[in-house]
Amino acid sequence: MQSLLRAIYPAQCASCGEIVEGDGGLCGPCWRETRFVTGHVCDKCGVGLPGESDGHLDLCDDCMTIARPWSQGRTALDYTGNGRRLVLAFKHADRPDIAEPAARWVARAAQPLFTPGMLVIPVPSHWTRLYRRRYNQAAELARALGRATGHGVLPTALVRTRGGETQEGKTVDQRFANLHGAIRPHPKRGAALEGKRILIVDDVMTSGATLAAATEAAFVAGAADVKIATLARVARGP
């Protein structure tokens, strides 16, 4: 049956749509244009750091100056070039299919963070945005990550109580103020987080304001520990 399905619906590159071998990752040219984060990384957000690790946990400039309520974080891609195009297609171009290959990349990047019994939860989307886009890309990524790793997923443990203004064009302080109190535990399902180790998932991290709001909501629900993983990280320019 699988062979028949592959003959009728061959795997395509998640970026350009070219036919590829395997489960629909990236074709050779798109792979070369995508900057995967490997090696020495910031322990809080996962962005790549220069040089090699000396065995100690290092932080990027942003994570040294902005308090992060979560304990550790990782990211799969730099938000540049083809990584940026993938995130934008996933978020705005009705491409939930990107969740499957994206989850494999995130699972590889976040492998050091996983612990037995950890629950995966997405950053929630406000219902108005969900109505416009038809799906929450963070929830799609979380579900696919659960399938890829075998960890439990609670897609509605947190809720976004207001839409808020767009984060684009705002300063770091304005971004955090815009998200203050906007994410809370679900009145009923949030109780499932009590005493649990949590991995919060989102498509992209810029300032970290959204992830911070989600982390704080998870702690309000009683989470024992919170880590974060993203598909891409916006890095500060030189």
Side-chain angles (χ1 to χ4, degrees):
M1 179 61 74
Q2 289 297 322
S3 298
L4 178 60
L5 288 174
R6 286 187 181 279
I8 300 174
Y9 303 108
Q12 295 179 300
C13 171
S15 180
C16 71
E18 287 294 314
I19 304 300
V20 296
E21 297 290 335
D23 297 322
L26 296 173
C27 66
C30 289
W31 183 276
R32 290 190 291 272
E33 293 175 9
T34 305
R35 293 183 59 182
F36 288 87
V37 179
T38 59
H40 189 201
V41 300
C42 172
D43 195 52
K44 286 286 189 176
C45 71
V47 72
L49 297 176
E52 296 185 4
S53 173
D54 58 3
H56 293 86
L57 300 181
D58 295 322
L59 302 180
C60 67
D61 290 345
D62 281 353
C63 291
M64 284 192 289
T65 57
I66 302 173
R68 306 299 193 193
W70 59 85
S71 60
Q72 288 181 289
R74 291 293 187 273
T75 194
L77 311 174
D78 281 343
Y79 188 71
T80 57
N82 201 50
R84 181 175 182 272
R85 288 191 290 273
L86 281 164
V87 170
L88 292 177
F90 188 26
K91 181 180 294 190
H92 298 297
D94 199 19
R95 291 287 311 279
D97 58 289
I98 291 175
E100 292 298 331
R104 296 195 294 272
W105 305 332
V106 173
R108 183 167 58 244
Q111 192 277 330
L113 308 186
F114 288 108
T115 57
M118 175 175 273
L119 295 174
V120 179
I121 65 174
V123 166
S125 182
H126 191 256
W127 71 267
T128 54
R129 181 168 294 178
L130 189 61
Y131 178 79
R132 293 196 302 270
R133 293 183 182 170
R134 298 192 307 108
Y135 63 93
N136 173 10
Q137 70 278 0
E140 296 299 318
L141 181 59
R143 292 187 182 98
L145 187 59
R147 291 191 290 271
T149 64
H151 286 272
V153 181
L154 296 177
T156 57
L158 302 178
V159 293
R160 189 151 180 168
T161 57
R162 67 172 190 272
E165 302 174 6
T166 178
Q167 295 285 67
E168 293 183 13
K170 286 181 164 46
T171 65
V172 171
D173 288 343
Q174 289 171 335
R175 284 172 176 264
F176 277 84
N178 191 39
L179 268 297
H180 181 69
I183 298 176
R184 297 178 183 176
H186 188 281
K188 295 182 179 178
R189 303 184 187 101
L193 302 184
E194 186 171 1
K196 299 295 195 301
R197 293 182 294 272
I198 305 299
L199 182 72
I200 295 180
V201 174
D202 204 2
D203 58 340
V204 62
M205 173 179 169
T206 304
S207 67
T210 304
L211 286 158
T215 298
E216 289 162 358
F219 279 129
V220 168
D225 182 46
V226 177
K227 300 178 181 181
I228 63 103
T230 58
L231 174 57
R233 170 73 162 103
V234 179
R236 179 187 296 182

